[in-house]
PDB file of all heavy atoms in Angstrom:
ATOM      1  N   PHE A  12       1.861  11.897  -9.907  1.00  0.00           N
ATOM      2  CA  PHE A  12       0.916  13.010 -10.113  1.00  0.00           C
ATOM      3  C   PHE A  12       1.284  14.302  -9.414  1.00  0.00           C
ATOM      4  O   PHE A  12       0.882  15.396  -9.845  1.00  0.00           O
ATOM      5  CB  PHE A  12      -0.472  12.603  -9.625  1.00  0.00           C
ATOM      6  CG  PHE A  12      -1.122  11.552 -10.586  1.00  0.00           C
ATOM      7  CD1 PHE A  12      -1.305  10.260 -10.073  1.00  0.00           C
ATOM      8  CD2 PHE A  12      -1.498  11.825 -11.847  1.00  0.00           C
ATOM      9  CE1 PHE A  12      -1.859   9.298 -10.909  1.00  0.00           C
ATOM     10  CE2 PHE A  12      -2.001  10.862 -12.643  1.00  0.00           C
ATOM     11  CZ  PHE A  12      -2.231   9.624 -12.235  1.00  0.00           C
ATOM     12  N   LEU A  13       2.077  14.215  -8.302  1.00  0.00           N
ATOM     13  CA  LEU A  13       2.369  15.402  -7.514  1.00  0.00           C
ATOM     14  C   LEU A  13       3.830  15.833  -7.722  1.00  0.00           C
ATOM     15  O   LEU A  13       4.214  16.875  -7.171  1.00  0.00           O
ATOM     16  CB  LEU A  13       2.094  15.184  -6.040  1.00  0.00           C
ATOM     17  CG  LEU A  13       0.636  14.769  -5.695  1.00  0.00           C
ATOM     18  CD1 LEU A  13       0.502  14.483  -4.233  1.00  0.00           C
ATOM     19  CD2 LEU A  13      -0.311  15.967  -6.105  1.00  0.00           C
ATOM     20  N   GLY A  14       4.675  15.059  -8.298  1.00  0.00           N
ATOM     21  CA  GLY A  14       6.069  15.367  -8.343  1.00  0.00           C
ATOM     22  C   GLY A  14       6.864  14.582  -7.350  1.00  0.00           C
ATOM     23  O   GLY A  14       6.292  13.950  -6.424  1.00  0.00           O
ATOM     24  N   VAL A  15       8.144  14.606  -7.537  1.00  0.00           N
ATOM     25  CA  VAL A  15       9.035  13.751  -6.681  1.00  0.00           C
ATOM     26  C   VAL A  15       9.012  14.155  -5.226  1.00  0.00           C
ATOM     27  O   VAL A  15       8.749  13.299  -4.356  1.00  0.00           O
ATOM     28  CB  VAL A  15      10.497  13.776  -7.166  1.00  0.00           C
ATOM     29  CG1 VAL A  15      11.410  13.040  -6.271  1.00  0.00           C
ATOM     30  CG2 VAL A  15      10.556  13.161  -8.600  1.00  0.00           C
ATOM     31  N   LEU A  16       9.185  15.372  -4.920  1.00  0.00           N
ATOM     32  CA  LEU A  16       9.212  15.875  -3.509  1.00  0.00           C
ATOM     33  C   LEU A  16       7.849  15.663  -2.787  1.00  0.00           C
ATOM     34  O   LEU A  16       7.782  15.128  -1.672  1.00  0.00           O
ATOM     35  CB  LEU A  16       9.687  17.310  -3.419  1.00  0.00           C
ATOM     36  CG  LEU A  16      11.149  17.525  -3.708  1.00  0.00           C
ATOM     37  CD1 LEU A  16      11.442  19.041  -3.651  1.00  0.00           C
ATOM     38  CD2 LEU A  16      12.013  16.773  -2.721  1.00  0.00           C
ATOM     39  N   MET A  17       6.770  16.054  -3.469  1.00  0.00           N
ATOM     40  CA  MET A  17       5.504  15.949  -2.862  1.00  0.00           C
ATOM     41  C   MET A  17       5.017  14.448  -2.696  1.00  0.00           C
ATOM     42  O   MET A  17       4.518  14.049  -1.734  1.00  0.00           O
ATOM     43  CB  MET A  17       4.410  16.680  -3.631  1.00  0.00           C
ATOM     44  CG  MET A  17       4.439  18.158  -3.357  1.00  0.00           C
ATOM     45  SD  MET A  17       4.141  18.599  -1.651  1.00  0.00           S
ATOM     46  CE  MET A  17       2.461  18.165  -1.473  1.00  0.00           C
ATOM     47  N   GLY A  18       5.381  13.641  -3.685  1.00  0.00           N
ATOM     48  CA  GLY A  18       5.077  12.194  -3.630  1.00  0.00           C
ATOM     49  C   GLY A  18       5.777  11.487  -2.512  1.00  0.00           C
ATOM     50  O   GLY A  18       5.178  10.737  -1.785  1.00  0.00           O
ATOM     51  N   ILE A  19       7.047  11.827  -2.321  1.00  0.00           N
ATOM     52  CA  ILE A  19       7.797  11.220  -1.231  1.00  0.00           C
ATOM     53  C   ILE A  19       7.261  11.751   0.089  1.00  0.00           C
ATOM     54  O   ILE A  19       7.224  11.051   1.064  1.00  0.00           O
ATOM     55  CB  ILE A  19       9.319  11.479  -1.389  1.00  0.00           C
ATOM     56  CG1 ILE A  19       9.809  10.641  -2.589  1.00  0.00           C
ATOM     57  CG2 ILE A  19      10.139  11.165  -0.182  1.00  0.00           C
ATOM     58  CD1 ILE A  19      11.240  10.951  -3.023  1.00  0.00           C
ATOM     59  N   ALA A  20       6.987  13.048   0.185  1.00  0.00           N
ATOM     60  CA  ALA A  20       6.430  13.683   1.403  1.00  0.00           C
ATOM     61  C   ALA A  20       5.135  12.967   1.803  1.00  0.00           C
ATOM     62  O   ALA A  20       4.898  12.661   3.033  1.00  0.00           O
ATOM     63  CB  ALA A  20       6.246  15.152   1.244  1.00  0.00           C
ATOM     64  N   VAL A  21       4.261  12.743   0.841  1.00  0.00           N
ATOM     65  CA  VAL A  21       2.959  11.993   1.168  1.00  0.00           C
ATOM     66  C   VAL A  21       3.252  10.624   1.668  1.00  0.00           C
ATOM     67  O   VAL A  21       2.658  10.118   2.585  1.00  0.00           O
ATOM     68  CB  VAL A  21       2.097  11.996  -0.126  1.00  0.00           C
ATOM     69  CG1 VAL A  21       0.923  10.977   0.019  1.00  0.00           C
ATOM     70  CG2 VAL A  21       1.633  13.388  -0.432  1.00  0.00           C
ATOM     71  N   ALA A  22       4.215   9.898   1.038  1.00  0.00           N
ATOM     72  CA  ALA A  22       4.600   8.543   1.454  1.00  0.00           C
ATOM     73  C   ALA A  22       5.191   8.546   2.837  1.00  0.00           C
ATOM     74  O   ALA A  22       4.800   7.672   3.670  1.00  0.00           O
ATOM     75  CB  ALA A  22       5.541   7.918   0.493  1.00  0.00           C
ATOM     76  N   VAL A  23       6.049   9.501   3.193  1.00  0.00           N
ATOM     77  CA  VAL A  23       6.567   9.600   4.532  1.00  0.00           C
ATOM     78  C   VAL A  23       5.538   9.913   5.522  1.00  0.00           C
ATOM     79  O   VAL A  23       5.498   9.276   6.620  1.00  0.00           O
ATOM     80  CB  VAL A  23       7.728  10.659   4.566  1.00  0.00           C
ATOM     81  CG1 VAL A  23       8.148  11.002   5.980  1.00  0.00           C
ATOM     82  CG2 VAL A  23       8.903  10.187   3.734  1.00  0.00           C
ATOM     83  N   GLY A  24       4.655  10.851   5.163  1.00  0.00           N
ATOM     84  CA  GLY A  24       3.502  11.117   6.121  1.00  0.00           C
ATOM     85  C   GLY A  24       2.623   9.950   6.357  1.00  0.00           C
ATOM     86  O   GLY A  24       2.273   9.648   7.541  1.00  0.00           O
ATOM     87  N   LEU A  25       2.299   9.182   5.312  1.00  0.00           N
ATOM     88  CA  LEU A  25       1.491   7.974   5.492  1.00  0.00           C
ATOM     89  C   LEU A  25       2.239   6.880   6.387  1.00  0.00           C
ATOM     90  O   LEU A  25       1.604   6.280   7.175  1.00  0.00           O
ATOM     91  CB  LEU A  25       1.117   7.389   4.132  1.00  0.00           C
ATOM     92  CG  LEU A  25       0.298   6.108   4.183  1.00  0.00           C
ATOM     93  CD1 LEU A  25      -1.065   6.380   4.922  1.00  0.00           C
ATOM     94  CD2 LEU A  25       0.070   5.575   2.813  1.00  0.00           C
ATOM     95  N   SER A  26       3.518   6.766   6.122  1.00  0.00           N
ATOM     96  CA  SER A  26       4.292   5.775   6.941  1.00  0.00           C
ATOM     97  C   SER A  26       4.316   6.191   8.372  1.00  0.00           C
ATOM     98  O   SER A  26       4.213   5.275   9.267  1.00  0.00           O
ATOM     99  CB  SER A  26       5.706   5.568   6.341  1.00  0.00           C
ATOM    100  OG  SER A  26       6.436   6.738   6.570  1.00  0.00           O
ATOM    101  N   LEU A  27       4.408   7.456   8.706  1.00  0.00           N
ATOM    102  CA  LEU A  27       4.374   7.882  10.096  1.00  0.00           C
ATOM    103  C   LEU A  27       2.925   7.621  10.695  1.00  0.00           C
ATOM    104  O   LEU A  27       2.898   7.194  11.847  1.00  0.00           O
ATOM    105  CB  LEU A  27       4.665   9.376  10.195  1.00  0.00           C
ATOM    106  CG  LEU A  27       6.093   9.824  10.019  1.00  0.00           C
ATOM    107  CD1 LEU A  27       6.251  11.314   9.972  1.00  0.00           C
ATOM    108  CD2 LEU A  27       6.954   9.184  11.110  1.00  0.00           C
ATOM    109  N   VAL A  28       1.900   7.813   9.938  1.00  0.00           N
ATOM    110  CA  VAL A  28       0.590   7.527  10.465  1.00  0.00           C
ATOM    111  C   VAL A  28       0.421   6.020  10.744  1.00  0.00           C
ATOM    112  O   VAL A  28      -0.086   5.578  11.779  1.00  0.00           O
ATOM    113  CB  VAL A  28      -0.567   7.973   9.421  1.00  0.00           C
ATOM    114  CG1 VAL A  28      -1.874   7.392   9.799  1.00  0.00           C
ATOM    115  CG2 VAL A  28      -0.565   9.523   9.387  1.00  0.00           C
ATOM    116  N   ILE A  29       0.934   5.169   9.892  1.00  0.00           N
ATOM    117  CA  ILE A  29       0.905   3.733  10.027  1.00  0.00           C
ATOM    118  C   ILE A  29       1.726   3.306  11.284  1.00  0.00           C
ATOM    119  O   ILE A  29       1.229   2.515  12.077  1.00  0.00           O
ATOM    120  CB  ILE A  29       1.401   2.984   8.777  1.00  0.00           C
ATOM    121  CG1 ILE A  29       0.439   3.168   7.639  1.00  0.00           C
ATOM    122  CG2 ILE A  29       1.646   1.473   9.056  1.00  0.00           C
ATOM    123  CD1 ILE A  29       0.951   2.668   6.297  1.00  0.00           C
ATOM    124  N   VAL A  30       2.856   3.856  11.496  1.00  0.00           N
ATOM    125  CA  VAL A  30       3.688   3.511  12.617  1.00  0.00           C
ATOM    126  C   VAL A  30       3.031   3.887  13.924  1.00  0.00           C
ATOM    127  O   VAL A  30       2.939   3.183  14.946  1.00  0.00           O
ATOM    128  CB  VAL A  30       5.099   4.198  12.560  1.00  0.00           C
ATOM    129  CG1 VAL A  30       5.856   4.119  13.867  1.00  0.00           C
ATOM    130  CG2 VAL A  30       5.944   3.514  11.483  1.00  0.00           C
ATOM    131  N   ILE A  31       2.387   5.089  13.978  1.00  0.00           N
ATOM    132  CA  ILE A  31       1.711   5.583  15.149  1.00  0.00           C
ATOM    133  C   ILE A  31       0.495   4.686  15.473  1.00  0.00           C
ATOM    134  O   ILE A  31       0.236   4.305  16.570  1.00  0.00           O
ATOM    135  CB  ILE A  31       1.297   7.059  15.019  1.00  0.00           C
ATOM    136  CG1 ILE A  31       2.617   7.962  15.050  1.00  0.00           C
ATOM    137  CG2 ILE A  31       0.314   7.463  16.140  1.00  0.00           C
ATOM    138  CD1 ILE A  31       2.304   9.367  14.680  1.00  0.00           C
ATOM    139  N   TYR A  32      -0.227   4.333  14.429  1.00  0.00           N
ATOM    140  CA  TYR A  32      -1.390   3.486  14.565  1.00  0.00           C
ATOM    141  C   TYR A  32      -1.005   2.156  15.134  1.00  0.00           C
ATOM    142  O   TYR A  32      -1.654   1.666  16.057  1.00  0.00           O
ATOM    143  CB  TYR A  32      -2.147   3.351  13.275  1.00  0.00           C
ATOM    144  CG  TYR A  32      -3.361   2.421  13.338  1.00  0.00           C
ATOM    145  CD1 TYR A  32      -4.567   2.866  13.889  1.00  0.00           C
ATOM    146  CD2 TYR A  32      -3.282   1.119  12.899  1.00  0.00           C
ATOM    147  CE1 TYR A  32      -5.683   2.013  13.946  1.00  0.00           C
ATOM    148  CE2 TYR A  32      -4.353   0.249  12.976  1.00  0.00           C
ATOM    149  CZ  TYR A  32      -5.539   0.743  13.530  1.00  0.00           C
ATOM    150  OH  TYR A  32      -6.578  -0.174  13.563  1.00  0.00           O
TER     151      TYR A  32
END
Side-chain angles (χ1 to χ4, degrees):
F12 291 110
L13 301 174
V15 175
L16 288 177
M17 282 302 290
I19 292 174
V21 168
V23 168
L25 179 61
S26 68
L27 286 174
V28 168
I29 291 170
V30 166
I31 291 169
Y32 177 79

